[in-house]
Amino acid sequence: MNNFLNINEITLTELESILEDAHRLKKSLEPGFKGLRRDNRLEGCNLGLYFQKPSTRTRLSFETGTMQLGGKVINIRPDEIHLNEGESIEDTAKILSLFLDAIVIRLFKEEHLYEFANSANIPVINGLTNDSHPCQVLTDIFTFQELRGNISEKTVVWFGVANNVLNSFLHASTHFNFKIIFCGPEKFKPQKKVLDLRPRGKERFFEIESDPIKAVKQADLIVTDKWVSMHDKPLNEKDLEELMRFQINKTLVDKGKKEVLFMHCLPASKGLEVTDEMFKDKRSVVFEEAENRMHLQKAILCWCLKKIS
Ligand code: CP
């Protein structure tokens, strides 16, 4: 049994086996109803989904993906169970392990994810915390490689505010050998504790560039996210004004490489971190990225349950 908690804890060989399986799973889908089953690898599997924050893509892609592989999904609403309110995380993790075969959890606190995983006897998948979003980033790598080939030696430029998705990109960069450039206001750069996690000798995989034009010229992949994450306070006017310099718009992206791609994990606040025009531009692959969540979730779940093909 494997947990899927953070990308930096999983070997490159294992991550590549997940990506390869996701390709196979995607190719094996034929046109027709989305519930049509071509592969029964998860027959008999009961997957639990526990989300403390809203989710459209993560929840639906795990639900549909699991059912496509013959498994069943049980949604566990935070207001219906006792986790951390009347029962310890440790006890709830042990109890849920009695009834489920695997669980996806979306929590506020990263330490609660580890507390849960350390007590559970079933695979635990990180469906996002305030500090990480590994399922999203592995999907983004998959999507880039599907469209542009190997991400090794490429440059990912993150615009705006450092957040959980960027943290997972940083985790992935040293494994997959790509550079990340952060382009945003000083006060919103990645935290030292995240940068310190990188293995020694791998510092070259991260740079800061405060000039959006210099940054965009280097990008093979441009990424941004909402400036305010689900757990954050609203921005003040001064910060908002400063962040507008780092908005992804067509004028900026036109200064970049011809083959550059734009990704956003969604949901987006159009008119803020990205313009509507750029969102719909042919270089934007946000919907391919969203669809690929499902193929990746299936492969991640199969890897966790040692059902990878
Ligand atoms: N990108 C992402 O995780 O989307 P949801 O919050 O809708 O799951």
Side-chain angles (χ1 to χ4, degrees):
M1 148 192 137
N2 294 312
N3 288 329
F4 188 85
L5 302 182
N6 270 305
I7 290 176
N8 57 339
E9 297 170 351
I10 303 169
T11 65
L12 180 61
T13 308
E14 298 280 5
L15 293 167
E16 281 176 339
S17 73
I18 296 173
L19 292 171
E20 279 163 25
D21 200 30
H23 263 293
R24 276 192 291 274
L25 286 159
K26 184 170 182 178
K27 269 174 70 180
S28 72
L29 273 184
E30 287 169 35
F33 288 121
K34 294 190 173 57
L36 218 53
R37 210 177 294 166
R38 307 276 170 208
D39 184 329
N40 282 320
R41 266 191 266 170
L42 295 183
E43 192 159 10
C45 166
N46 286 334
L47 175 72
L49 296 176
Y50 175 84
F51 283 62
Q52 286 180 342
K53 306 184 190 190
S55 168
T56 303
R57 281 142 287 267
T58 308
R59 182 193 296 278
L60 265 294
S61 57
F62 267 111
E63 286 190 22
T64 311
T66 301
M67 291 190 286
Q68 280 182 358
L69 293 178
K72 291 202 167 63
V73 179
I74 300 169
N75 274 290
I76 308 155
R77 288 171 43 149
D79 61 342
E80 288 176 344
I81 66 166
H82 303 283
L83 187 130
N84 214 20
E85 282 174 34
E87 187 170 60
S88 67
I89 293 176
E90 185 185 340
D91 288 354
T92 302
K94 287 194 172 120
I95 298 296
L96 293 183
S97 301
L98 301 174
F99 307 121
L100 301 169
D101 297 293
I103 187 162
V104 181
I105 50 177
R106 170 170 287 196
L107 305 176
F108 288 93
K109 294 186 177 170
E110 180 98 352
E111 59 265 34
H112 286 174
L113 169 74
Y114 281 86
E115 214 177 316
F116 189 97
N118 288 339
S119 302
N121 301 309
I122 54 171
V124 177
I125 298 172
N126 177 1
L128 177 148
T129 72
N130 294 357
D131 295 316
S132 57
H133 199 359
C135 292
Q136 179 67 54
V137 168
L138 202 57
T139 303
D140 293 354
I141 291 169
F142 176 89
T143 308
F144 183 88
Q145 299 201 144
E146 188 178 43
L147 297 168
R148 292 289 183 266
N150 201 330
I151 199 165
S152 173
E153 306 286 339
K154 297 285 192 275
T155 298
V156 175
V157 181
W158 180 278
F159 282 90
V161 176
N163 68 3
N164 49 3
V165 181
L166 176 56
N167 292 347
S168 290
F169 262 114
L170 285 162
H171 292 160
S173 66
T174 52
H175 271 353
F176 287 93
N177 195 40
F178 60 85
K179 184 158 88 180
I180 298 193
I181 298 177
F182 172 77
C183 186
E186 170 75 18
K187 90 178 254 196
F188 295 118
K189 71 180 185 190
Q191 292 173 307
K192 187 175 175 302
K193 69 171 186 186
V194 180
L195 297 176
D196 285 349
L197 266 183
R198 290 167 307 159
R200 284 179 70 180
K202 301 268 187 177
E203 293 79 6
R204 68 184 185 284
F205 289 98
F206 177 72
E207 285 175 18
I208 293 182
E209 172 54 69
S210 56
D211 179 341
I213 296 173
K214 283 187 188 158
V216 84
K217 283 179 190 292
Q218 299 178 66
D220 298 295
L221 171 61
I222 295 168
V223 194
T224 192
D225 196 359
K226 272 187 187 295
W227 290 336
V228 182
S229 292
M230 285 183 266
H231 55 278
D232 285 336
K233 292 192 205 96
L235 293 167
N236 62 42
E237 270 189 36
K238 187 171 166 287
D239 287 342
L240 205 53
E241 202 177 302
E242 202 182 347
L243 277 163
M244 287 308 286
R245 273 188 62 225
F246 302 94
Q247 183 191 61
I248 310 298
N249 54 53
K250 193 170 174 302
T251 310
L252 177 67
V253 178
D254 282 350
K255 293 183 171 43
K257 296 181 190 175
K258 199 164 153 271
E259 295 287 296
V260 73
L261 295 177
F262 167 69
M263 291 188 196
H264 188 309
C265 68
L266 308 181
S269 299
K270 287 177 244 173
L272 292 177
E273 75 271 7
V274 61
T275 59
D276 187 48
E277 184 183 34
M278 192 55 224
F279 192 84
K280 293 176 180 152
D281 189 273
K282 63 181 189 315
R283 291 162 291 190
S284 165
V285 291
V286 294
F287 292 105
E288 289 88 335
E289 192 187 353
E291 186 209 311
N292 281 338
R293 292 294 306 273
M294 184 182 76
H295 307 302
L296 257 295
Q297 317 301 27
K298 288 160 86 169
I300 288 169
L301 190 53
C302 288
W303 175 78
C304 286
L305 291 161
K306 298 209 178 279
K307 298 272 184 191
I308 209 147
S309 86

